[in-house]
Amino acid sequence: MPGDRVAVIQPDYFDYHKIVEFLQGECVPVPLHYKKVSKGAGIDFAEMEKAFKNGAKFFVFANPNNPVGCVYTREECSEIAALCRKYDVTLIVDELYARTIFSGTEYTHICALEEAPDKLITVLGPSKTESASGYRLGVGFGPEEIIGRMEQLQSIVSLRCAAYSQSVFKVWFHEPEEWLEERLSRLTRTRDELTRLVRSFDGCLVRSAEGGTYAFVELPKLTIPIEEFCRICKKMRMRPGRRALILARSLRIISE
């Protein structure tokens, strides 16, 4: 409803804010102190509970986080679930990157926890891990009442799932054996190379992602116009073999 308060992780997927604002709601930021922890997301539970006490009716976040790439620990997931249950807050968990988890990282589905709140919506889909964003496919898991309303909205917005999207859905449910392991292996190499490259420049910081396909880079003060920096970044759309070279050149311009 217009005026409803929605607690949103900061930083997190930017479209959450757009959706809330379009529906005339109010976003209440809950910060992540991800740079202060080596494991987990570093969620500020004091601010989260404060938001709930001040009337936030919904809490939405992505796990793994997008764009930082940190994965919430089991303890963090349990605390999130407990607080949402305590304050009767509807919890929406974006798990589109739940299968893109790098080796050595434990992943927790909140819906599998005993303390999971009744008002919990889990969103899954092939758009990230399988690079199928344009097909607009996904799955919502949650209480019958909320899923029913989601189905009504979906039937009005898109009428039905297009035939070409249904074909992708079929492939998603029947992936070739070892496909995901090979994909994660390639992503791991890319993550490690980008992390090493960024850290090789003074003043450039990045946390090695535990999941997802992003690198959230903290840059020093730019010594070139922002327009020039954006132009350099756009060149990274070129073939993968040149991305590291272009990134190195752009960071060198910044740090010189």
Side-chain angles (χ1 to χ4, degrees):
M1 297 291 292
D4 282 350
R5 310 190 81 191
V6 181
V8 181
I9 289 292
Q10 185 69 35
D12 212 333
Y13 182 49
F14 65 92
D15 255 8
Y16 299 153
H17 291 81
K18 290 185 178 181
I19 294 171
V20 173
E21 291 169 0
F22 175 78
L23 297 174
Q24 301 179 38
E26 177 185 350
C27 286
V28 182
V30 176
L32 289 186
H33 303 298
Y34 62 91
K35 289 187 285 187
K36 297 182 179 180
V37 297
S38 58
K39 182 180 180 182
I43 182 173
D44 193 324
F45 285 111
E47 287 297 316
M48 179 179 173
E49 186 165 16
K50 179 181 177 181
F52 293 171
K53 288 181 177 179
N54 290 335
K57 297 181 178 180
F58 304 88
F59 178 52
V60 57
F61 77 107
N63 188 21
N65 175 270
N66 173 3
V68 176
C70 52
V71 173
Y72 291 76
T73 63
R74 184 179 184 86
E75 292 74 20
E76 287 176 319
C77 289
S78 295
E79 183 66 13
I80 290 171
L83 285 174
C84 287
R85 177 181 286 277
K86 178 180 178 180
Y87 291 96
D88 194 31
V89 170
T90 299
L91 174 59
I92 304 173
V93 187
D94 177 348
E95 295 191 354
L96 288 177
Y97 281 107
R99 302 181 70 220
T100 312
I101 305 298
F102 297 116
S103 177
T105 301
E106 178 186 2
Y107 188 85
T108 300
H109 295 278
I110 290 185
C111 62
L113 297 175
E114 291 185 4
E115 58 269 37
D118 297 328
K119 298 178 180 179
L120 167 62
I121 300 296
T122 303
V123 180
L124 299 163
S127 63
K128 304 302 183 183
T129 302
E130 288 78 1
S131 299
S133 299
Y135 290 92
R136 316 313 297 168
L137 292 169
V139 175
F141 177 79
E144 182 177 354
E145 178 183 0
I146 299 179
I147 295 299
R149 295 179 63 183
M150 290 173 63
E151 288 182 341
Q152 291 179 357
L153 176 62
Q154 186 70 17
S155 66
I156 295 173
V157 172
S158 60
L159 187 61
R160 65 178 63 87
C161 183
Y164 57 84
S165 294
Q166 293 180 42
S167 297
V168 173
F169 241 143
K170 183 177 180 180
V171 173
W172 181 38
F173 290 133
H174 300 86
E175 291 173 352
E177 187 175 354
E178 299 182 353
W179 176 86
L180 182 59
E181 288 77 8
E182 293 175 0
R183 182 167 176 81
L184 286 175
S185 177
R186 293 196 301 272
L187 288 173
T188 299
R189 291 195 296 270
T190 301
R191 177 203 62 177
D192 293 345
E193 174 61 18
L194 284 175
T195 300
R196 182 199 63 77
L197 185 62
V198 171
R199 289 176 176 173
S200 68
F201 294 94
D202 293 338
C204 296
L205 304 175
V206 64
R207 171 172 167 171
S208 182
E210 299 163 342
T213 57
Y214 290 95
F216 196 53
V217 180
E218 183 176 326
L219 300 175
K221 184 177 180 180
L222 294 176
T223 60
I224 59 174
I226 185 63
E227 294 80 9
E228 176 66 10
F229 177 69
C230 292
R231 185 187 67 80
I232 294 170
C233 290
K234 286 180 179 179
K235 287 185 177 180
M236 295 185 69
R237 295 176 178 269
M238 300 170 69
R239 63 182 184 274
R242 297 197 60 191
R243 289 179 180 174
L245 176 61
I246 293 171
L247 176 61
R249 287 175 176 172
S250 64
L251 292 178
R252 193 168 290 121
I253 289 173
I254 296 168
S255 60
E256 286 178 350

